[in-house]
Amino acid sequence: MVLRFVLIGDCSSRRRFSTALIVILIVVLSLLSAGIGSAEVIYVEPGNSIQAAVNNSTAGDLVIVKAGEYQENIVVNVSGIKISSEFENPENVLVRARDINSSVFRVKAGNVTLSGFNITGLGEVSSVFNASSSTNSSDVGNNSSDSENADLEQVSSSGPSMSTQWDEFGCPAAGVCLEQVNNCTIENNTFFDNRYGIYLQASRNSTLLKNTFFRNGIWLDEGCGENLMINNTIEESNLVLGAHCWDNIMFQNRLSNGEGISIACCGGNNLVSRNEIINCSTGIDIYDVQARTILRDNRISNCENGIYLTFVFDSRVYNNTISNGSTGIFLRENCQNNELSNNTIIESNESGICLQDYSADNRIYNNYFNNNLNVIAENSEGNIWNTTQSPGTSIIGGPNLGGNFWANLKGTGFSQVSNDSNSDGICDSPFKINGSDFDYLPLAKPPSSTELDLTVNSRNA
């Protein structure tokens, strides 16, 4: 193995063989075990160029950026390299764009890792996207749409308006843009006030891990697939999947005070799991998706709408907890063949679940509703509100699976006051939804439970 250390900057500076160097050696040795025969460690000092270090690298090299502030736009067109701050601490290395119309890091090669930077814009407000706000599928995720063009002029959060130029090809002004690349890793960075925090264009098999975003978020443009977004924190922005995005995973992210998670048309097989979404306009918003998408084990609170489905087919929504919003789950514009089960929806101001615009053939069972008004179903008959009665622990702790638990905050909900004469956990009479729709097997309150117990369980579900 050939190992060389290169210092970008003052050639007379002494190399410090410190704990950081030991870590670097471990990384390089791991590269050797992966079959890479030679590697360089290239240092960048303040006042010198990260771009020069990248240009001086080859596959397998490690570019280490020392503490300080750097202002430049970096194009990464060398595959298989890692670029990181010296101690992978975003507080120590600030990188901002010299040209506000270009991404800070524009990655045009695969197998690149970028780690440990504070990537800060010039005060532009991040782009806002809401999947259900589009009027038709051709507008969603289409860079040439009128709404996207209108977003090009951004307003500074701390001063006069600023205008950015983007020809809608290649990369916009993002903190990091992955441009038609595969197998990249963007981890442990902080993004502040960029137009987009991380932007993926036709990129696949990449991992966005443990990044923190303030007033910018994550945007996957059209055709991105098999990407992982894990343990990211997004404040005052959103996480967006554009059109034709398939097989992506959004897992254990935390979003607050923004627009939540949005999935646009024509993709599928995406997984949204174990995310925490707080005080957003909509928790999870899906528009015109006709291949299975799974929303499970998410916690959504204080959002106008918890989960909002528009023209969605064959999705699965289960084990989510939605609280203190306006509407818990909203289905509209002919949503069909979706399955909603094992969800806990409490303290909604308008309704626990709302179905409109001929949404039919959905299966809705074993959910816990505890709201002043649990269900609104307008022009939406033909839904199935219970499964076949069978042994199994229900969401309320009863001995059988069946329909849903219908409670209200006053303790006078249908399931709270109806008889269960044979103690099988199913009310003796059906619960009418609307028109010809009934929950024929509404869940009953277990005999040993008190109203206080039910309230505590619903909050901690």
Side-chain angles (χ1 to χ4, degrees):
M1 175 181 181
V2 178
L3 176 62
R4 291 193 295 133
F5 293 89
V6 179
L7 182 65
I8 301 295
D10 185 357
C11 294
S12 65
S13 297
R14 299 179 59 187
R15 299 182 179 89
R16 299 186 301 272
F17 289 87
S18 60
T19 304
L21 181 57
I22 296 173
V23 172
I24 294 166
L25 289 172
I26 293 173
V27 171
V28 174
L29 289 173
S30 69
L31 294 176
L32 177 62
S33 66
I36 299 174
S38 63
E40 292 182 2
V41 179
I42 305 172
Y43 282 98
V44 183
E45 296 275 6
N48 294 281
S49 172
I50 301 172
Q51 184 69 68
V54 171
N55 294 344
N56 196 41
S57 66
T58 59
D61 288 353
L62 179 60
V63 176
I64 301 293
V65 182
K66 295 196 173 185
E69 182 171 342
Y70 301 79
Q71 186 168 10
E72 56 182 310
N73 301 87
I74 302 104
V75 177
V76 183
N77 52 14
V78 180
S79 64
I81 65 172
K82 179 175 181 177
I83 309 168
S84 73
S85 60
E86 186 171 17
F87 300 103
E88 298 195 12
N89 183 352
E91 295 182 0
N92 294 335
V93 180
L94 171 64
V95 186
R96 65 170 74 241
R98 181 178 297 277
D99 176 3
I100 66 171
N101 298 314
S102 299
S103 295
V104 180
F105 286 91
R106 183 174 183 175
V107 181
K108 303 180 68 174
N111 297 288
V112 168
T113 296
L114 186 67
S115 177
F117 293 100
N118 181 337
I119 302 172
T120 298
L122 298 176
E124 298 93 341
V125 177
S126 62
S127 177
V128 174
F129 178 91
N130 188 311
S132 64
S133 67
S134 300
T135 57
N136 58 67
S137 61
S138 64
D139 289 336
V140 180
N142 188 334
N143 287 335
S144 62
S145 67
D146 291 341
S147 60
E148 180 68 14
N149 291 334
D151 281 339
L152 290 179
E153 183 168 325
Q154 303 297 328
V155 180
S156 171
S157 61
S158 59
S161 63
M162 303 180 65
S163 179
T164 62
Q165 302 293 322
W166 180 34
D167 59 10
E168 298 177 4
F169 296 95
C171 288
V176 173
C177 177
L178 304 184
E179 184 178 357
Q180 302 181 47
V181 296
N182 298 332
N183 304 312
C184 291
T185 299
I186 312 299
E187 61 182 351
N188 194 34
N189 302 284
T190 297
F191 296 85
F192 185 79
D193 265 357
N194 300 280
R195 172 169 165 73
Y196 302 93
I198 299 177
Y199 187 98
L200 273 64
Q201 183 190 71
S203 295
R204 305 178 64 84
N205 294 300
S206 292
T207 299
L208 315 182
L209 174 67
K210 294 183 180 178
N211 299 286
T212 301
F213 301 82
F214 297 97
R215 293 199 292 272
N216 49 197
I218 298 172
W219 186 299
L220 277 64
D221 203 350
E222 184 171 346
C224 292
E226 301 180 63
N227 299 288
L228 304 179
M229 289 144 278
I230 303 175
N231 285 340
N232 299 287
T233 299
I234 301 176
E235 175 74 18
E236 297 185 34
S237 191
N238 51 5
L239 193 165
V240 175
L241 266 63
H244 303 282
C245 289
W246 290 81
D247 303 307
N248 299 283
I249 295 176
M250 291 143 280
F251 182 76
Q252 285 189 341
N253 301 287
R254 187 182 190 276
L255 297 92
S256 58
N257 304 309
E259 294 83 43
I261 296 174
S262 295
I263 301 176
C265 76
C266 315
N269 293 332
N270 296 296
L271 171 64
V272 184
S273 177
R274 295 184 66 179
N275 300 282
E276 183 178 14
I277 307 172
I278 302 169
N279 197 34
C280 291
S281 55
T282 297
I284 303 172
D285 175 23
I286 306 180
Y287 176 81
D288 192 10
V289 173
Q290 301 186 31
R292 182 167 297 182
T293 292
I294 296 176
L295 315 178
R296 73 181 189 201
D297 302 300
N298 300 286
R299 300 183 68 88
I300 303 169
S301 62
N302 296 98
C303 297
E304 180 71 14
N305 298 292
I307 294 174
Y308 198 100
L309 309 182
T310 305
F311 198 51
V312 172
F313 290 71
D314 194 35
S315 289
R316 300 292 181 266
V317 181
Y318 61 93
N319 292 352
N320 301 285
T321 299
I322 305 171
S323 62
N324 293 293
S326 179
T327 301
I329 298 179
F330 202 139
L331 285 74
R332 61 186 300 257
E333 293 187 18
N334 201 31
C335 285
Q336 295 188 14
N337 197 35
N338 301 289
E339 184 171 287
L340 289 67
S341 63
N342 295 78
N343 300 290
T344 297
I345 304 173
I346 61 174
E347 298 185 16
S348 300
N349 296 328
E350 293 188 9
S351 66
I353 185 169
C354 181
L355 296 89
Q356 293 183 354
D357 309 323
Y358 309 101
S359 293
D361 297 319
N362 300 289
R363 299 173 300 283
I364 305 165
Y365 64 92
N366 201 39
N367 299 287
Y368 182 102
F369 296 102
N370 190 345
N371 310 274
N372 286 328
L373 179 62
N374 283 314
V375 58
I376 296 174
E378 300 176 351
N379 298 321
S380 294
E381 296 184 14
N383 294 289
I384 301 169
W385 294 85
N386 55 267
T387 188
T388 302
Q389 182 172 338
S390 58
T393 304
S394 72
I395 196 167
I396 199 64
N400 284 289
L401 300 176
N404 303 280
F405 190 84
W406 304 97
N408 64 34
L409 303 179
K410 297 179 182 178
T412 58
F414 184 88
S415 293
Q416 293 166 306
V417 299
S418 295
N419 291 328
D420 175 14
S421 57
N422 61 359
S423 299
D424 64 352
I426 306 296
C427 296
D428 293 340
S429 57
F431 175 67
K432 185 174 182 178
I433 306 297
N434 75 328
S436 60
D437 282 5
F438 289 83
D439 181 345
Y440 291 101
L441 299 169
L443 301 176
K445 181 175 67 174
S448 60
S449 296
T450 66
E451 183 57 33
L452 177 60
D453 292 332
L454 293 177
T455 302
V456 171
N457 287 338
S458 69
R459 291 179 183 274
N460 294 329

